[in-house]
Amino acid sequence: MKLIVALGNPGSEYARTRHNAGWMAAERVIDRLGLTPGGSKFHAATAEGRVAGEKVVLLRPQTYMNRSGLTVGEAVRFFKLEPADLIVLVDDVNLPVGKIRLRAGGSAGGQNGLKDIQRVLATQDYPRLRIGIDPPGRVPRVDYVLQPFSQAQRDELDPALDRAADACKTWIDQGIEKAMTTHNGE
């Protein structure tokens, strides 16, 4: 079984903000993988299906970014998963908009959702797919991530969201190493 967790903040005021790039990617993943949305579990909106014979559950935590570990911890324990069976979709201010980067593990890199997940799992060794949202420049980071993308950024972001969905499919079908080799640098 594979678990995809897309980080973001609930509420219409956050729907198209930079911090919700993970949720935007989740919409593409649901479409690309043919997952069926419905209901909630583990303090998250859910979508489920089968991909290449593998059960796949996608979660969008409804706990706000800084408490994402609650959802991940409950789901990992319930499904009895290893960290390698989880991938987290998350925004990254250190990547240019339009870029994605997969890693098998690593630091939170200042991302509070990842920090909380690592605290709950007591490891940083789980796959994550970072979606570039551009550095904030002179705007304070907290303000920048909670603002919507500019139209120019949106034009760059849309194809990256499709690549993120493709990367999730490769991860499910062939593992994180193949997904990194195939999709990093796109």
Side-chain angles (χ1 to χ4, degrees), residues 29-179:
V29 171
I30 289 167
D31 289 343
R32 184 76 37 100
L33 301 182
L35 303 179
T36 303
S40 65
K41 198 173 198 178
F42 313 116
H43 307 281
T46 64
E48 297 184 26
R50 294 194 80 73
V51 178
E54 186 98 50
K55 179 178 179 170
V56 176
V57 175
L58 183 143
L59 301 175
R60 286 173 282 182
Q62 302 294 299
T63 57
Y64 292 95
M65 183 71 72
N66 297 350
R67 298 206 54 233
S68 299
L70 176 66
T71 293
V72 173
E74 286 182 4
V76 165
R77 285 188 298 276
F78 179 84
F79 293 117
K80 297 176 175 61
L81 298 175
E82 294 297 320
D85 296 321
L86 158 74
I87 192 167
V88 176
L89 312 181
V90 63
D91 63 278
D92 190 328
V93 296
N94 297 311
L95 285 176
V97 73
K99 296 290 182 189
I100 64 170
R101 180 175 298 144
L102 286 121
R103 293 286 184 257
S107 77
Q111 216 291 343
N112 289 330
L114 293 178
K115 283 181 188 176
D116 195 51
I117 292 168
Q118 289 175 192
R119 179 187 62 77
V120 169
L121 295 181
T123 184
Q124 59 184 13
D125 296 329
Y126 59 89
R128 73 276 321 266
L129 190 157
R130 294 178 181 262
I131 302 158
I133 63 169
D134 280 341
R138 294 176 182 236
V139 178
R141 180 184 275 195
V142 68
D143 295 333
Y144 179 78
V145 299
L146 296 178
Q147 294 172 352
F149 288 95
S150 69
Q151 185 57 53
Q153 287 178 321
R154 192 68 204 200
D155 292 344
E156 295 291 322
L157 178 69
D158 282 336
L161 297 176
D162 289 333
R163 290 192 306 276
D166 291 341
C168 285
K169 182 158 184 0
T170 303
W171 171 72
I172 292 164
D173 292 343
Q174 301 175 51
I176 189 64
E177 294 299 325
K178 180 64 174 177

